[in-house]
Amino acid sequence: GPAGHLGRLIAWDAASGKVAWGVDEPLPVYAGVLATAGGVVFYGTLDKTFKAVDASTGKVLFQTTLECGVVGNPISYTAPDGHQRIAIYSGVGWLAGGFAGGTCYGNAAHGAGQGGVLHVFKLP
């Protein structure tokens, strides 16, 4: 990516085989990506950010900072109340933690110096 960016989320146009859009990130995107039928793509980054972007343009629709870097894959499910939820695990292991600048203490109270927090977001 451009100077100062070590990672990039890339969307490919399957018909043309060309890049449709990209979102530059300070660090590599180490986790999986979830694309929904509603046209939203969810992913997390090693610099502790969880994002939702428009699947057509890559425009950031939502972002928040978590306690730890993200290496887990986002998942979607319908809760008993009928609302869709997006869940993401934050917490880095040894390799990703070292790459992202060290350990994460999001769950230090439980002796997990590498973090380990499950975040669940309710969609409207």
Side-chain angles (χ1 to χ4, degrees):
H5 295 95
L6 298 176
R8 189 170 198 224
L9 176 70
I10 299 172
W12 293 91
D13 181 321
S16 71
K18 296 180 180 178
V19 173
W21 53 262
V23 179
D24 292 325
E25 297 294 347
L27 297 172
V29 178
Y30 206 77
V33 176
L34 172 69
T36 68
V40 180
V41 174
F42 294 92
Y43 71 103
T45 65
L46 286 177
D47 67 338
K48 305 178 183 179
T49 304
F50 180 59
K51 293 183 179 182
V53 299
D54 184 289
S56 297
T57 65
K59 178 184 175 190
V60 176
L61 304 172
F62 167 83
Q63 73 178 36
T64 189
T65 302
L66 306 177
E67 292 87 354
C68 303
V70 178
V71 296
N73 300 338
I75 63 167
S76 174
Y77 65 96
T78 302
D81 66 2
H83 286 274
Q84 184 180 9
R85 303 290 202 286
I86 303 294
I88 187 76
Y89 172 82
S90 71
V92 294
W94 177 81
L95 178 62
F99 192 74
T103 60
C104 172
Y105 296 98
N107 199 15
H110 295 90
Q114 301 298 330
V117 180
L118 178 65
H119 299 269
V120 180
F121 298 88
K122 180 180 177 183
L123 300 185

